[in-house]
Amino acid sequence: MLHGKVYVVTSPELINAVNRNSKSLAFNPFIAQLGKRITGHDEKTSQIVQHNLNGEEGSGYVIEIHDGHVVALAHGENLKTMTGLMLKEASIYLDALETNNEIQLFTWTRRMMTLCSTRAIYGPENPFNKNSRYNDLFWDFDHDLNLLMVDVVPSLSAPKGNRARSELAVAFQRYFENYIPGQTQSAAMIHTRYTVNTKHGVSLQDQGRLEVGTLLGILANTIPSTFYMLVRVYSDPALLQDIRNELETTSVSTIPNETKGRILRVISMQEKCELLHSTFQELLRFHAHGAGARLVREDTILDNQYLLRKGMVVQMPMSVMHSDPSIWGPDAGDFNSRRFLKQQDGNQKTKQYMTAYRPFGGGASLCPGRHFVTLEVLALTAYMVLKFDITPSDGQWVIPVQKQESMATNVFPPEKDITVQITRRKGFADVDWGFVMD
């Protein structure tokens, strides 16, 4: 699968044609093959994962996992609970900023979000909660992921990442050994994963290994996205002020009988803060550089024009579509935080944009976790801009270039970190901020 011809598709119309042919141009076989290289699970589990990948005999393992994720991560109480727990943990780190005013912004964001997100998803018994060293291990694994995916003697070609993967797998094996459905505190997503894995006979050892791969979906794109969201907002004083005004007029309430108390209403924020959301969408258009992939399972005529041969791979690089002036206009190479605001000609333009806009994939492979990622990034950004002023220690904002480290990541991390000064927001130093999930 990793050899032979690759068809590169960059036209929105042909992307739609690929999505319409989801049986013959399939995502699941591609992921099943790469998944073994990523997690290192054994051959028995590989056979479980690859059996009935496209549902010819009813729902198979991969389909059940995917559909379970869709339900567990959809808008609703599960999503509100996960986000609320994440913000509750994050507030501890935000409070600590008041006594630690200079930080490396990406390093701080990465540590904070790794520990807070895993706590919200896996509960108090999760490995990261018991040993913060696993934070560094995960990023060692992520850093060496490309070498691990090549899968040529990983103990020699990627020793640090291979050791990190093994240690994390053992830690999550122990987590699942003590997992009791209905009693262990965890997000609905983890209950679903444990149930499906157990049903299909995946060993506890390989449940631990598979979970290391799941961490990529939870952390690897969300953290760089949050970092660049903060940098983009704080580096533009007009945008920062407009977002603060938007939040304060739509999504901030006072606490009754407390003159210094303010509450961020997170769900209201998601629904009403159009500029904040547009900025996040533009962030992903500008900074997401991954590629969707499909395996050609049988000879397929695409859009009545192009013959795609069985056994080849289709790639859809999002950076090409995300930077195409014929789609986005002459300012396609510029960061425009208002690009996704509703326009008077919005129906036609939105349809044109959304066809070419693929930071979360599309069609049958649309990311089930997109709602959680979006709400995490928006909520953290909102909470930060309401509470803090952030300035670069050297006095000048420079948007860091991105460094590609992993083929499994769409939003790459910065090549260089930024040292920043964080202070309580001018004029709001005595305000006590909180949040509610409504």
Side-chain angles (χ1 to χ4, degrees):
M1 185 185 299
L2 298 178
H3 304 280
K5 183 177 289 186
V6 174
Y7 303 105
V8 179
V9 180
T10 60
S11 157
E13 292 76 18
L14 291 180
I15 294 290
N16 285 334
V18 170
N19 290 339
R20 288 193 298 269
N21 287 273
S22 60
K23 291 294 185 182
S24 60
L25 307 177
F27 176 70
N28 288 348
F30 197 84
I31 286 300
Q33 288 285 339
L34 285 182
K36 187 175 188 302
R37 295 167 178 256
I38 291 171
T39 69
H41 56 259
D42 65 23
E43 185 58 33
K44 179 182 177 182
T45 295
S46 185
Q47 291 176 8
I48 293 170
V49 170
Q50 295 189 54
H51 176 69
N52 197 27
L53 276 171
N54 297 290
E56 295 89 346
E57 303 170 23
S59 61
Y61 172 86
V62 170
I63 294 173
E64 288 184 27
I65 286 286
H66 175 270
D67 291 352
H69 285 176
V70 170
V71 173
L73 296 169
H75 286 297
E77 290 304 313
N78 289 334
L79 183 65
K80 289 169 65 174
T81 299
M82 287 170 59
T83 307
L85 286 170
M86 186 277 298
L87 285 175
K88 181 180 178 182
E89 293 295 314
S91 64
I92 299 171
Y93 289 86
L94 297 181
D95 290 344
L97 288 177
E98 298 180 21
T99 57
N100 182 19
N101 291 334
E102 185 171 83
I103 61 170
Q104 294 286 306
L105 186 57
F106 181 72
T107 301
W108 177 85
T109 302
R110 186 173 69 179
R111 180 175 180 79
M112 181 270 294
M113 291 199 70
T114 300
L115 297 178
C116 295
S117 296
T118 54
R119 172 64 176 80
I121 292 171
Y122 294 101
E125 299 303 314
N126 88 87
F128 290 86
N129 200 46
K130 292 188 170 186
N131 188 343
S132 60
R133 175 173 167 270
Y134 292 137
N135 171 71
D136 295 328
L137 286 179
F138 173 76
W139 295 106
D140 288 343
F141 161 67
D142 180 70
H143 179 77
D144 277 359
L145 190 57
N146 285 348
L147 292 173
L148 292 170
M149 290 167 67
V150 174
D151 199 27
V152 177
V153 195
S155 60
L156 297 178
S157 61
K160 197 171 184 179
N162 188 59
R163 283 194 303 270
R165 178 175 66 177
S166 298
E167 288 192 48
L168 287 168
V170 170
F172 276 98
Q173 175 185 342
R174 291 171 182 156
Y175 172 81
F176 285 116
E177 285 172 350
N178 295 293
Y179 190 89
I180 303 174
Q183 295 185 36
T184 301
Q185 295 181 45
S186 72
M189 177 184 113
I190 303 308
H191 179 270
T192 295
R193 292 182 58 77
Y194 177 82
T195 301
V196 174
N197 280 324
T198 302
K199 170 187 171 181
H200 285 272
V202 177
S203 67
L204 289 169
Q205 182 181 50
D206 272 358
Q207 287 194 42
R209 290 169 173 163
L210 291 171
E211 215 57 35
V212 179
T214 301
L215 289 171
L216 290 170
I218 295 171
L219 302 171
N221 289 300
T222 307
I223 290 168
S225 297
T226 303
F227 168 80
Y228 277 106
M229 184 72 170
L230 292 173
V231 171
R232 287 291 181 180
V233 172
Y234 276 102
S235 65
D236 185 336
L239 175 62
L240 175 61
Q241 188 58 53
D242 287 345
I243 286 177
R244 282 172 168 168
N245 291 341
E246 181 180 63
L247 286 165
E248 288 163 356
T249 56
T250 65
S251 308
V252 173
S253 302
T254 58
I255 301 175
N257 303 319
E258 292 189 25
T259 58
K260 297 181 180 179
R262 299 289 188 277
I263 292 293
L264 171 65
R265 298 189 175 278
V266 175
I267 301 303
S268 175
M269 170 213 70
Q270 183 185 29
E271 295 171 350
K272 297 179 180 179
C273 292
E274 294 182 359
L275 178 57
L276 179 67
H277 196 199
S278 175
T279 303
F280 177 61
Q281 290 176 290
E282 176 71 349
L283 167 94
L284 294 179
R285 183 194 74 86
F286 200 90
H287 287 285
H289 302 297
R294 302 288 186 274
L295 176 68
V296 184
R297 299 180 62 234
E298 57 188 54
D299 286 357
T300 302
I301 303 293
L302 192 65
D303 199 35
N304 297 316
Q305 298 181 68
Y306 305 102
L307 173 62
L308 309 185
R309 292 291 190 184
K310 178 180 178 180
M312 302 297 105
V313 171
V314 175
Q315 281 200 343
M316 296 162 284
M318 59 186 68
S319 60
V320 176
M321 287 178 287
H322 287 181
S323 60
D324 188 342
S326 69
I327 299 169
W328 305 98
D331 67 341
D334 300 329
F335 187 91
N336 178 1
S337 59
R338 287 167 167 76
R339 189 183 304 276
F340 289 87
L341 291 177
K342 295 177 181 177
Q343 308 287 338
Q344 290 183 349
D345 59 346
N347 288 338
Q348 181 177 358
K349 183 167 285 188
T350 298
K351 183 177 180 181
Q352 176 185 350
Y353 281 0
M354 290 302 104
T355 303
Y357 184 71
R358 296 180 59 83
F360 295 112
S365 66
L366 188 62
C367 174
R370 64 193 183 280
H371 304 304
F372 182 49
V373 171
T374 300
L375 196 53
E376 272 191 297
V377 176
L378 294 182
L380 278 169
T381 302
Y383 209 54
M384 291 285 286
V385 301
L386 289 170
K387 189 170 183 176
F388 296 109
D389 290 324
I390 302 180
T391 56
S393 295
D394 64 5
Q396 183 176 1
W397 282 106
V398 176
I399 309 298
V401 298
Q402 293 170 266
K403 178 183 179 182
Q404 181 176 359
E405 288 192 346
S406 165
M407 291 190 294
T409 303
N410 291 332
V411 182
F412 306 139
E415 192 171 81
K416 293 179 64 176
D417 210 337
I418 302 176
T419 303
V420 297
Q421 296 282 339
I422 297 187
T423 57
R424 289 298 297 263
R425 182 182 167 194
K426 187 176 181 180
F428 291 79
D430 60 347
V431 172
D432 295 322
W433 290 97
F435 68 92
V436 291
M437 296 304 299
D438 63 28

